Amino acid sequence: MRSMGYMNTIVYPGTFDPVTRGHVDVIERGARLCDRLVVGVAGIAYKSPIWSLDERVDMVRSATQHIPNVVVEGFDDLVVHFMKRMGTSIMLRGLRPVSDFDYEVQFAWANRHLDPNVDIIYLMSSQEHFFVSSTLIKEMYEGGGDIRDLVPASIADRIVLGLSRARGGTHD
């Protein structure tokens, strides 16, 4: 059995391409569970992110600068290896109703297979963020929708500019 002080560091991994208000909600709530919440921004090449790893790290830092116990770091290897470097075996994940469950079960199994000591804490998304995802934001923007209220205000213009560049033009 672990001691009561075992949750001094938790890792919240993701690609954050782009970071959403839903992500920030999970980060704010997760930060209350520990002394230090490390947001791990994954440099996963197979997902073909719009923003570089450094840009995504910078955007997450900007969106979470108001949370004193949050640290944002990029990583290019397995999340279990990143967690070991951060000195924890506890991972935080956000869940939206039904849509995330199948993936999260597979993700949990894979990470427990790689490191049986990994424990995952799930936080249900707040109701206003149930259906917000980075993919949905990109699709809404591509269709001409205004996505500014779905992303952190501090980086909304930067996200719109990045999405505009990715589609090869300008769009507000």
Side-chain angles (χ1 to χ4, degrees), residues 56-66 72 152 154-155 158:
R56 289 181 284 128
V57 166
D58 187 58
M59 285 194 289
V60 175
R61 282 183 181 145
S62 294
T64 60
Q65 64 186 353
H66 64 286
V72 182
S154 62
I155 56 171
R158 191 170 172 188

Side-chain angles (χ1 to χ4, degrees), residues 93-111 120 122 124:
R93 300 291 290 171
L95 270 181
R96 291 167 293 180
V98 183
S99 63
D100 289 339
F101 189 75
D102 285 343
Y103 173 80
E104 289 299 333
V105 169
Q106 292 172 38
F107 185 77
W109 177 87
N111 283 293
I120 303 175
Y122 294 95
M124 182 60 75

Side-chain angles (χ1 to χ4, degrees), residues 103-161:
Y103 173 80
E104 289 299 333
V105 169
Q106 292 172 38
F107 185 77
W109 177 87
N111 283 293
R112 293 283 305 218
H113 176 77
L114 293 169
D115 185 345
N117 295 312
V118 168
D119 285 315
I120 303 175
I121 297 169
Y122 294 95
L123 287 180
M124 182 60 75
S125 295
S126 294
Q127 187 173 352
E128 63 270 25
H129 305 296
F130 273 177
F131 303 105
V132 177
S133 70
S134 297
T135 300
L136 180 66
I137 286 171
K138 289 182 243 184
E139 290 172 356
M140 287 175 69
Y141 180 84
E142 186 65 29
D146 183 5
I147 51 91
R148 291 176 196 272
D149 62 335
L150 302 176
V151 299
S154 62
I155 56 171
D157 289 340
R158 191 170 172 188
I159 290 172
V160 168
L161 180 61

